[in-house]
């Protein structure tokens, strides 16, 4: 997360996803903002927490003492940062990287989290929830349905190839991915979102939830 984009439409999108979930479920979710331009003021932190809907008591701004995400070139710091997030004692954790996740570093490594790092962070908990920007992977993935954006299908493929169960709430510009080691840990989130869409046409639901 970068304050240059604080309270933009994509923060609103993240907050929307959590508002659609049952409040009791959201109350069990914690957040790691993954800042890349810290330190943030207390006022900036507060408005982010308000927009997302996860309070200060469950928002971890500096896991392991790292106020900014370490770059891949500092392998020791990066590994310590991953271990610190893995040690957070919360069953469900929302990660908000600048651009999302990938299976290798491309460009600015502080802006993404690697799929192997997600596997390590997921190991001690039930679910990870991860923000990801839209982009167009090349080549386009075979078998992408008309309701699944190519970048969403590609993200799900990477998570599943790493042994995770996953689904996504997608939009054209960004999506939120839900990942777990066991499919049953995802079902309450998927069911909660589907219940929020009660009465909405199946076509619309399928354009938002990609399983």
């Amino acid at each position: 997360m970068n304050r240059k984009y604080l309270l933009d439409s994509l923060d609103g999108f993240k907050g929307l996803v959590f508002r659609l979930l049952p409040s009791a479920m959201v109350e069990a979710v914690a957040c790691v903002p993954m800042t890349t331009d810290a330190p943030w003021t207390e006022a900036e932190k507060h408005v982010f927490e308000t927009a997302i809907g996860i309070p200060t008591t469950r928002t971890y701004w500096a896991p392991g003492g790292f106020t900014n995400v370490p770059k891949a070139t500092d392998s020791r710091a990066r590994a310590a940062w991953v271990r610190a997030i893995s040690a957070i004692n919360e069953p469900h954790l929302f990660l908000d990287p600048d651009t999302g996740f990938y299976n290798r570093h491309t460009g600015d490594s502080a802006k993404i989290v690697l799929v192997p790092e997600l596997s390590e962070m997921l190991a001690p908990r039930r679910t990870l929830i991860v923000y990801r920007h839209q982009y167009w992977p090349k080549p386009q993935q075979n078998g992408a349905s008309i309701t699944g954006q190519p970048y969403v299908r590609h993200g799900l493929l990477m998570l599943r190839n790493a042994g995770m169960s996953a689904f996504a709430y997608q939009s054209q510009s960004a999506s939120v991915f839900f990942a777990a080691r066991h499919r049953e840990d995802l079902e309450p989130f998927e069911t909660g979102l589907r219940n929020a869409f009660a009465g909405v046409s199946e076509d619309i639901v399928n354009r938002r939830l990609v399983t």
Side-chain angles (χ1 to χ4, degrees):
M1 181 62 194
N2 189 296
R3 65 161 60 79
K4 181 167 62 175
Y5 305 108
L6 182 62
L7 296 183
D8 68 3
S9 60
L10 296 178
D11 277 351
F13 166 69
K14 301 164 197 172
L16 168 67
V17 174
F18 287 115
R19 286 194 300 275
L20 289 172
L21 289 166
S23 58
M25 188 171 295
V26 177
E27 288 169 2
V29 176
C31 174
V32 176
M34 289 186 61
T35 49
T36 56
D37 63 342
W40 284 29
T41 68
E42 292 305 311
E44 290 167 340
K45 292 178 181 179
H46 177 70
V47 295
F48 173 83
E49 294 160 355
T50 300
I52 302 301
I54 299 175
T56 300
T57 52
R58 299 199 311 279
T59 300
Y60 295 82
W61 286 96
F66 294 99
T67 55
N68 286 319
V69 179
K71 293 181 179 295
T73 51
D74 189 346
S75 58
R76 180 174 296 181
R78 184 81 178 202
W81 172 77
V82 171
R83 287 195 300 271
I85 294 177
S86 301
I88 293 173
N89 186 24
E90 302 280 0
H92 313 291
L93 194 60
F94 171 55
L95 303 175
D96 191 11
D98 273 3
T99 58
F101 60 88
Y102 205 64
N103 50 15
R104 58 184 173 84
H105 285 299
T106 57
D108 191 343
S109 58
K111 293 187 175 185
I112 64 172
V113 58
L114 295 181
V115 172
E117 293 173 335
L118 291 177
S119 294
E120 186 173 341
M121 294 172 186
L122 175 60
R125 71 192 83 257
R126 294 174 62 188
T127 59
L128 285 179
I129 306 166
V130 191
Y131 170 82
R132 192 178 199 225
H133 268 350
Q134 172 266 326
Y135 81 103
W136 303 107
K138 298 177 181 181
Q140 182 167 325
Q141 301 302 310
N142 293 329
S145 75
I146 60 171
T147 58
Q149 298 285 340
Y151 84 98
V152 173
R153 289 291 177 188
H154 183 231
L156 291 173
L157 180 66
M158 287 192 291
L159 295 174
R160 289 167 180 166
N161 283 347
M164 304 179 212
S165 294
F167 77 93
Y169 185 112
Q170 76 168 356
S171 74
Q172 192 164 352
S173 57
S175 293
V176 173
F177 289 74
F178 294 77
R181 290 173 294 123
H182 307 292
R183 175 65 194 174
E184 56 265 29
D185 288 327
L186 293 180
E187 290 173 356
F189 289 95
E190 184 178 344
T191 299
L193 291 170
R194 289 190 179 278
N195 287 343
F197 289 136
V200 176
S201 74
E202 193 67 17
D203 179 64
I204 293 174
V205 175
N206 290 337
R207 288 183 184 279
R208 292 293 160 256
L209 299 182
V210 183
T211 58

